[in-house]
Amino acid sequence: MDSQNISYHAGQAKGQTEEKASNMADKASSATQSTKESIQEAGAHMQAKARDTMDSVKEATGMNK
């Protein structure tokens, strides 16, 4: 194998490694975004439940008048 051929294969391997790293970073970013959205949805759901509970307590104790 001559040095030109070795350089070509090294360049190919480097390019493939960079592509795989980029794909992994994209997947990690996507997973992070999905987790963030899930947490936000859970928080909003908990807030709504807390509001409903407070409204029920106010209604039951006559504090909403």
Side-chain angles (χ1 to χ4, degrees):
M1 226 186 233
D2 62 3
S3 65
Q4 199 172 23
N5 197 8
I6 292 170
S7 292
Y8 171 78
H9 286 293
Q12 257 191 331
K14 180 183 177 195
Q16 289 173 355
T17 301
E18 288 173 350
E19 180 67 20
K20 286 180 184 178
S22 176
N23 287 342
M24 289 176 67
D26 289 347
K27 286 180 183 179
S29 176
S30 179
T32 300
Q33 183 64 30
S34 178
T35 300
K36 179 182 173 184
E37 290 170 3
S38 293
I39 290 170
Q40 287 174 337
E41 286 177 25
H45 184 70
M46 289 174 65
Q47 284 178 334
K49 285 271 207 189
R51 262 193 305 276
D52 290 347
T53 301
M54 286 301 300
D55 289 344
S56 295
V57 169
K58 286 179 181 178
E59 185 69 34
T61 59
M63 292 176 61
N64 65 341
K65 294 179 182 180

